[in-house]
């Protein structure tokens, strides 16, 4: 999604208050943005804590800062700056985090982001965006840029099943109708879940894509609520179960008195074999692949 | 004027004029602020007063003589919140009655500056290592917006052990944020020992002179010396090492490690206010 991100920000570059800070990343992707912004494009160096503190101060002066780095270097390395400097002050800093989940694959676990939105969901006023498809990115940039509070954008690799067309961006989208279980997939997992059941019958699962969190800021739409009661709920996410959307939705169902027939979360399992590989390898180890999803719902 | 960063004592430039709307800090007002700080801490029964007393003179000087509307102040050493509250009180931004709420349930004046809601406090601080990035961002914002205005950031000396403070210094020096003045309250005592015992950066002025900043040094309780040292810089950030005394003005706790945490006794407060060292328990008590 980096190319789409760059294009969306270049389109926004005419806004005089926009300032872009990168933690020394973006080579081979963000050069057009650098050229468009000139002095308002800053390479803040390999110093993410400082970058986010600086961005908070820029926002406090009415500027529109966007920070960019690999996801774990943002939410994990600079968590206290996000908590104290950005969120306690409710400052509109947009945190762009590349490589959600296992996206950095065989680069290894230091570069994976398996617990980002769970941790960040605990912070007040922070809206989290997880675009599902490449075509979502422009709308996400517009939404995050227009939000009066802080935002975290988890970027990954959009995957639209062959023969399908991604619907226009929305925080919650129904990708596939069906009378079977309700499958809720976070961000790019939506394409994977969609592909798993694209060829099924009307008795197959109903697949939803979620691209904004937490539920308190982006509650499920009425159509989802009406569809859910009495059906099995399966939440698919490239994120650990603890703090993930599965747990949030389970609590939300309990609080709302919504009785589901079953609950089958599928989440990132970490590194169960102790070995490393591509994003697809790690997804398979966690059951985050089409065949495993089909088995999970047929069991 | 020094062009390369190095410790500078004899060449400190003359201080600039007091901006319009501000007035020279009267020594009597500074003394009154110290008494009010002691009374506030005594009423609240809380410690951290040593690092407030070492920083109070600089904070009062900056706020009364240098901080015009276009300027910004960031208290990076948030544990000196009491000194900041009293300084804002001395400028009429916090009422006397509100100072009495310090550290109590329902207060707007907690032990470290809050994030929102108080005039004169732009950022909540307290976790060390945040303030210099915030100050650097403010200085950068002024440059990007084409605005005049200086940014002052008051750090402790111990907080230079935080890696994020050094990240911030690298950034500010590299960007040549000449509208930024960094004050270091060099009282040489931190939470559980002297700065030299715990993780020495001594002499901190010479250590930081390796960065592209202008280093100045001054007695942090000498107003004329601080006025000279806090004059605007030229083409890079200014770092002013303020040689201070923890617990300054309270003989019983001056230079003592326990002043970092322990609350004052009534006798210590009275001794300080009356200027009667005999009433205090003395250096070795």
């Amino acid at each position: 999604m980096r190319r789409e991100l760059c294009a969306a920000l270049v389109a926004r570059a005419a806004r005089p208050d926009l300032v872009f800070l990168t933690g020394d990343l973006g080579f081979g992707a963000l050069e057009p943005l650098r050229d468009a912004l000139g002095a308002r494009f800053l390479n803040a160096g390999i110093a993410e804590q400082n970058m986010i503190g600086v961005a908070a101060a820029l926002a406090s002066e009415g500027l529109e800062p966007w920070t960019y780095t690999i996801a774990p270097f943002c939410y994990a390395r600079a968590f206290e700056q996000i908590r104290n400097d950005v969120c306690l002050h409710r400052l509109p800093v947009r945190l762009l985090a590349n490589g959600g989940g296992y996206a950095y694959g065989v680069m290894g676990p230091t570069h994976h982001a398996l617990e980002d939105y769970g941790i960040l969901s605990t912070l007040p006023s922070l809206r989290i965006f997880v675009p599902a498809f490449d075509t979502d990115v422009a709308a996400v940039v517009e939404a995050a840029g227009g939000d009066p509070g802080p935002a975290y954008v988890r970027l990954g690799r959009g995957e639209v099943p062959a023969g399908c067309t991604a619907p226009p961006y929305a925080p919650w989208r129904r990708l596939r109708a069906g009378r079977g279980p309700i499958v809720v997939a976070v961000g790019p997992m939506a394409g994977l879940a969609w592909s798993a059941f694209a060829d099924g019958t009307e008795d197959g699962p109903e697949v939803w894509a979620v691209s904004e969190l937490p539920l308190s800021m982006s509650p499920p739409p009425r159509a989802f609520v009406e569809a859910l009661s009495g059906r099995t709920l399966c939440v698919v996410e490239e994120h650990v179960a603890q703090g993930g959307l599965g747990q949030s939705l389970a609590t939300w169902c309990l609080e709302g008195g919504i009785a589901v027939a079953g609950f089958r979360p599928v989440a990132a399992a970490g590194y169960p074999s102790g070995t490393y590989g591509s994003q697809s390898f790690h997804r398979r180890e966690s059951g985050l692949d089409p065949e495993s999803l089909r088995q999970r719902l047929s069991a | 004027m020094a062009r390369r960063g190095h410790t500078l004592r004899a060449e400190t430039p003359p201080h600039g004029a007091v901006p319009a709307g501000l007035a020279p800090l009267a020594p009597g007002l500074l003394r009154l602020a110290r008494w009010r700080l002691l009374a506030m801490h005594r009423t609240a029964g809380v410690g951290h007063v040593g690092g407030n007393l070492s920083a109070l003179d600089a904070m009062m000087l900056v706020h009364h003589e240098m901080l015009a509307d276009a300027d910004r102040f960031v208290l990076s050493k948030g544990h000196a919140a009491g000194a900041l509250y009293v300084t804002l009180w001395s400028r009429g931004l916090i009422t006397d009655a509100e100072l009495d709420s310090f550290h109590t349930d329902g207060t707007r004046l907690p032990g470290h500056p809050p994030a929102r809601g108080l005039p004169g406090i732009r950022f909540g601080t307290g976790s060390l290592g945040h303030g210099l990035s915030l100050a650097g961002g403010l200085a950068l914002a002024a440059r990007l917006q084409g605005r005049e205005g200086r940014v002052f950031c008051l750090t402790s000396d111990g907080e230079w052990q935080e890696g994020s403070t050094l990240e911030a210094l690298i950034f500010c020096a590299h960007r040549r944020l000449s509208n930024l003045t960094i004050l270091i309250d060099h009282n040489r005592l931190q939470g559980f020992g002297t700065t030299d015992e715990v993780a020495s950066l001594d002499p901190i002025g010479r250590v930081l002179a390796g960065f592209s900043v202008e280093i100045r040094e001054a007695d942090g309780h000498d107003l004329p010396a601080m006025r000279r040292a806090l004059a605007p810089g030229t083409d890079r950030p200014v770092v002013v090492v303020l040689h201070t005394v923890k617990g300054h003005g309270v003989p019983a706790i001056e230079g003592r490690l326990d002043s970092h945490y322990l609350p004052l006794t009534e006798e210590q407060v009275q001794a300080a206010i009356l200027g009667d060292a005999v009433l205090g328990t003395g250096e070795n008590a």
Side-chain angles (χ1 to χ4, degrees):
Chain A
M1 295 178 182
R2 287 198 309 172
R3 188 178 307 140
E4 291 79 10
L5 172 74
C6 185
L9 287 170
V10 166
R12 199 177 175 85
R15 299 171 67 92
D17 293 334
L18 193 154
V19 182
F20 188 90
L21 301 104
T22 175
D24 200 34
L25 290 165
F27 176 79
L30 299 183
E31 286 82 357
L33 182 62
R34 180 188 63 192
D35 296 343
L37 287 172
R40 291 180 289 127
F41 183 102
L42 288 96
N43 187 340
I46 307 163
E48 297 80 8
Q49 296 173 84
N50 177 66
M51 177 172 71
I52 291 174
V54 166
L58 295 177
S60 81
E61 295 285 14
L63 293 165
E64 183 189 306
W66 298 71
T67 67
Y68 176 84
T69 186
I70 293 176
F73 305 165
C74 175
Y75 76 90
R77 181 57 167 263
F79 178 75
E80 195 177 56
Q81 279 72 21
I82 298 172
R83 187 186 77 134
N84 292 10
D85 303 343
V86 176
C87 291
L88 280 180
H89 301 86
R90 302 189 180 184
L91 289 167
V93 175
R94 288 81 179 182
L95 306 161
L96 300 167
N98 196 39
Y102 294 112
Y104 273 93
V106 79
M107 298 299 284
T110 58
H111 283 49
H112 297 160
L114 303 182
E115 62 289 288
D116 54 346
Y117 59 73
I119 290 169
L120 295 176
S121 291
T122 63
L123 298 177
S125 76
L126 180 67
R127 188 182 293 277
I128 296 159
F129 295 87
V130 193
F133 309 110
D134 293 344
T135 48
D136 292 347
V137 174
V140 164
V141 165
E142 186 176 349
D147 197 286
Y152 174 84
V153 181
R154 184 200 228 214
L155 298 166
R157 190 178 61 192
E159 297 167 39
V160 180
C164 297
T165 301
Y169 178 77
W172 286 72
R173 282 170 287 184
R174 179 158 44 197
L175 301 176
R176 182 191 191 279
R179 292 192 288 266
I182 300 283
V183 176
V184 179
V186 180
M189 283 288 102
L192 188 145
W194 196 6
S195 68
F197 304 108
D199 297 331
T201 67
E202 292 179 356
D203 291 329
E206 180 165 309
V207 179
W208 287 75
V210 176
S211 288
E212 292 185 25
L213 301 166
L215 294 179
S216 58
M217 299 180 83
S218 181
R222 178 181 294 273
F224 175 82
V225 178
E226 291 172 346
L228 184 57
S229 185
R231 298 165 82 171
T232 292
L233 173 63
C234 173
V235 180
V236 184
E237 51 190 331
E238 201 168 348
H239 183 281
V240 294
Q242 184 70 35
L245 179 63
Q247 290 188 348
S248 297
L249 266 181
T251 303
W252 176 82
C253 288
L254 286 169
E255 290 178 344
I258 298 172
V260 296
F263 180 58
R264 298 185 188 180
V266 185
Y271 309 94
S273 70
T275 62
Y276 306 98
S278 64
Q279 182 176 29
S280 296
F281 169 82
H282 288 295
R283 284 178 171 180
R284 283 195 304 274
E285 283 210 323
S286 297
L288 293 166
D289 60 280
E291 181 56 32
S292 296
L293 286 185
R294 285 190 288 269
Q295 289 179 7
R296 182 86 168 109
L297 287 181
S298 65
Chain B
M1 185 64 62
R3 287 296 169 187
R4 296 294 303 170
H6 63 271
T7 300
L8 185 68
R9 286 178 186 274
E11 298 177 61
T12 47
H15 69 88
V18 175
L22 300 178
L25 174 62
L29 181 58
L30 183 56
R31 197 176 310 119
L32 184 63
R34 183 176 304 112
W35 293 349
R36 191 65 186 90
L37 175 67
L38 294 173
M40 184 178 77
H41 272 258
R42 176 64 190 148
T43 300
V46 296
H48 262 162
V49 72
N52 279 269
L53 289 164
S54 62
L56 180 67
D57 293 356
M59 233 185 292
M60 286 285 288
L61 183 69
V62 167
H63 278 78
H64 280 269
E65 296 193 4
M66 300 170 190
L67 211 60
D69 289 345
D71 304 321
R72 305 283 185 261
F73 176 80
V74 177
L75 179 63
S76 193
K77 52 170 291 184
H79 53 288
L84 178 58
Y85 298 151
V86 166
T87 298
L88 296 175
W89 162 82
S90 76
R91 291 209 58 191
L93 295 171
I94 293 178
T95 67
D96 195 69
E98 184 147 30
L99 288 186
D100 286 337
S101 76
F102 177 59
H103 251 273
T104 60
D105 288 348
T107 188
R108 296 198 307 165
L109 310 181
H112 298 85
R116 290 150 58 93
L118 278 179
I121 298 180
R122 179 168 285 258
F123 297 115
T125 52
S127 177
L128 296 173
H130 286 243
L132 190 51
S133 294
L134 294 167
L138 294 176
L140 176 66
R143 174 185 289 177
L144 291 172
Q145 294 172 324
R147 288 188 286 108
E148 297 292 323
R150 298 179 66 190
V151 179
F152 297 88
C153 180
L154 177 57
T155 73
S156 74
D157 47 4
E159 97 172 273
W160 288 86
Q161 295 159 13
E162 292 278 9
S164 55
T165 301
L166 291 170
E167 285 187 13
L169 185 69
I170 293 167
F171 180 87
C172 296
H174 178 73
R175 298 280 161 191
R176 291 191 173 255
L177 297 176
S178 58
N179 53 345
L180 173 65
T181 299
I182 303 162
L183 296 81
I184 303 176
D185 179 6
H186 193 22
N187 60 35
R188 297 181 178 276
L189 287 169
Q190 57 186 99
F192 203 7
T194 69
T195 49
D196 279 355
E197 290 169 345
V198 176
S200 180
L201 285 171
D202 205 36
I204 193 167
R206 289 197 181 277
V207 170
L208 299 185
F211 295 84
S212 186
V213 295
E214 183 177 337
I215 304 290
R216 303 174 187 169
E217 308 216 14
D219 180 337
H221 304 299
D222 180 335
L223 294 182
M226 282 199 286
R227 288 187 182 104
R228 289 191 296 275
L230 290 168
T234 52
D235 64 345
R236 64 193 66 199
V238 173
V239 177
V240 182
V241 180
L242 296 172
H243 296 274
T244 60
V245 176
K246 203 151 188 169
H248 175 71
V250 182
I253 65 168
E254 278 188 352
R256 290 177 56 97
L257 177 63
D258 52 12
S259 74
H260 189 89
Y261 289 118
L262 298 181
L264 293 169
T265 66
E266 188 64 31
E267 291 73 20
Q268 289 168 340
V269 173
Q270 288 189 15
I273 291 177
L274 297 172
D276 182 358
V278 177
L279 266 180
T281 49
E283 188 73 17
N284 300 316

